[in-house]
Amino acid sequence: MTLQLYGHPFSSYTWKALIALYANDTPFEFREIDQSVPKYESFTGKAHPAGQFPVLTDGDAIVVETSSIVEYLALRYPGPAPLIASDPAEAVVARMLDRVFDHYVMGNVQRMMAAYFVNKDDPAAGGMRDEPLASEIAAAKVMLRKAYDWLERWLAANELPPHVSLVTCAAAPSLFYADWVQPIGEAFSNVRAYRRRLLAQPSFARAVDEARPYRQLFPLGAPDRD
Ligand SMILES: N[C@@H](CCC(=O)N[C@@H](CS)C(=O)NCC(=O)O)C(=O)O
């Protein structure tokens, strides 16, 4: 087997790549990140410019950044789920949504997590502090609600294809975790319905199920649902 995905079963961006692989039943080997290895000494630490994961390898080819991983899989390992639309105009819309979910949904979830970790390990605060950086968390929540508002209007005016695509890969993990840290309220009924649809999607449901044993690792506290 030539394809290998380096990642962690509980990581949102690893899910983004897994959804694409599962949707097309693409054979691959999963290489779980060994967290006991110092970040920049690990394979992913060296392969990715910021030491992040997942990283896909295909023989000698190394692909970093999940949007590119999904594009690579669409090109080299096509299957029943057209991950990238063949119509160029549809593909532009999909790439736009991919950026929206990564930057303004998942980006703000990660901003909250970063605030939590920085604060927790802040030596100036005496090592461990119970309170996360409240202002940073509040700002990220405001931006999440702004992203929900944008998505609500977009989903009201546009249709998404029913099959798994780049959009599914980006939307499912980001809306999953975003709702944990800033619940998607009744006012965002289209976004809520879309999140429910994504959770029922078999390739995403599989990634969520495989990650259940890790839920206690969620730094901001995992709710008892989903
Ligand atoms: N833009 C990157 C984001 C990847 C990312 O944020 N990965 C997280 C795991 S979900 C990570 O590597 N976190 C550890 C770190 O940043 O050191 C992508 O699309 O691949």
Side-chain angles (χ1 to χ4, degrees):
M1 186 185 302
T2 54
L3 275 184
Q4 296 187 322
L5 185 74
Y6 292 75
H8 190 278
F10 195 47
S11 121
S12 57
Y13 281 100
T14 303
W15 284 0
K16 185 170 163 185
L18 284 174
I19 294 166
L21 288 159
Y22 290 161
N24 281 331
D25 235 348
T26 308
F28 71 102
E29 184 190 340
F30 188 72
R31 304 288 297 267
E32 185 169 332
I33 300 290
D34 179 354
Q35 284 172 325
S36 66
V37 177
K39 180 172 169 181
Y40 295 114
E41 287 172 24
S42 66
F43 172 73
T44 52
K46 291 179 184 150
H48 185 279
Q52 293 183 325
F53 52 86
V55 172
L56 183 79
T57 64
D58 185 11
D60 290 339
I62 298 178
V63 190
V64 297
E65 288 295 301
T66 46
S67 305
S68 308
I69 290 175
V70 175
E71 298 255 7
Y72 183 88
L73 292 171
L75 184 70
R76 299 268 187 235
Y77 296 88
L83 300 171
I84 304 291
S86 52
D87 175 68
E90 271 179 47
V92 168
V93 172
R95 292 186 178 105
M96 174 188 80
L97 290 171
D98 174 64
R99 299 298 72 222
V100 168
F101 283 111
D102 275 16
H103 288 303
Y104 310 112
V105 182
M106 202 58 219
N108 281 302
V109 177
Q110 288 190 317
R111 185 176 170 189
M112 287 171 72
M113 294 209 258
Y116 174 89
F117 282 120
V118 164
N119 208 55
K120 190 166 159 281
D121 300 331
D122 181 4
M128 298 283 274
R129 201 202 268 177
D130 290 329
E131 287 287 308
L133 218 56
S135 60
E136 185 62 7
I137 298 237
K141 286 183 169 212
V142 168
M143 293 311 288
L144 270 178
R145 288 194 296 269
K146 193 159 162 38
Y148 297 164
D149 185 53
W150 188 94
L151 286 166
E152 182 64 19
R153 285 182 281 116
W154 195 91
L155 290 168
N158 298 276
E159 288 277 327
L160 281 169
H163 59 77
V164 170
S165 72
L166 173 65
V167 181
T168 323
C169 298
S174 57
L175 288 178
F176 180 91
Y177 284 118
D179 187 57
W180 278 14
V181 300
Q182 172 58 55
I184 303 167
E186 304 275 344
F188 307 112
S189 58
N190 287 302
V191 186
R192 280 162 74 100
Y194 184 40
R195 185 179 184 275
R196 269 198 304 277
R197 262 201 339 268
L198 291 165
L199 270 169
Q201 210 291 318
S203 53
F204 182 49
R206 178 172 168 191
V208 170
D209 281 341
E210 288 169 350
R212 284 186 197 282
Y214 301 92
R215 284 193 176 193
Q216 81 286 355
L217 297 179
F218 191 65
L220 303 164
D224 191 16
R225 59 183 165 84
D226 297 324

